[in-house]
Amino acid sequence: MIEATVSASNQDAAARAIAFGIPYHASRGLPFQVPVVINALLGWLDDRRLKQAGYGSRLTRVTAVLITPVYLFLRAKRLKQRPYYAVAWILSIIVGFLIYASVES
């Protein structure tokens, strides 16, 4: 979603890139590492909170950083919740790709 939003407006993308000190290329947008690192950081922070509550494990820690949708399904199962977060994550990735494809074409 971030990449699609950034690609939608080159002026906004240039301003964000300058603000974050990231090299900006009008045809490429943000580097793919930025959303990956943000996603991994958020997963790691969430897993730390689960561990403090007594629900964390090594498996959830690894999947939180490397395989976010799997982590979200494991999290829902461990907390005995419905996997709404995982479904929302997958849908946002699909919507992001659709927006990105419509902007790039």
Side-chain angles (χ1 to χ4, degrees):
M1 293 291 286
I2 292 169
E3 178 66 26
T5 303
V6 167
S7 295
S9 172
N10 282 336
Q11 287 182 338
D12 289 341
R16 286 187 190 102
I18 291 169
F20 290 112
I22 300 169
Y24 177 72
H25 305 283
S27 62
R28 293 187 349 210
L30 280 176
F32 77 92
Q33 294 94 341
V34 172
V36 170
V37 168
I38 290 171
N39 211 21
L41 177 66
L42 291 174
W44 179 73
L45 290 172
D46 185 58
D47 185 62
R48 281 186 57 203
R49 298 284 307 257
L50 284 180
K51 187 176 181 182
Q52 290 173 349
Y55 292 102
S57 72
R58 183 169 169 81
L59 175 65
T60 59
R61 192 174 323 126
V62 171
T63 57
V65 174
L66 299 177
I67 314 169
T68 302
V70 173
Y71 168 72
L72 292 172
F73 281 109
L74 286 172
R75 181 186 192 282
K77 184 177 179 182
R78 189 158 282 174
L79 295 175
K80 297 178 180 152
Q81 298 175 342
R82 294 185 186 223
Y84 293 130
Y85 295 125
V87 173
W89 189 91
I90 291 168
L91 288 175
S92 69
I93 289 293
I94 292 169
V95 169
F97 282 134
L98 292 174
I99 293 171
Y100 182 77
S102 69
V103 169
E104 291 298 314
S105 59

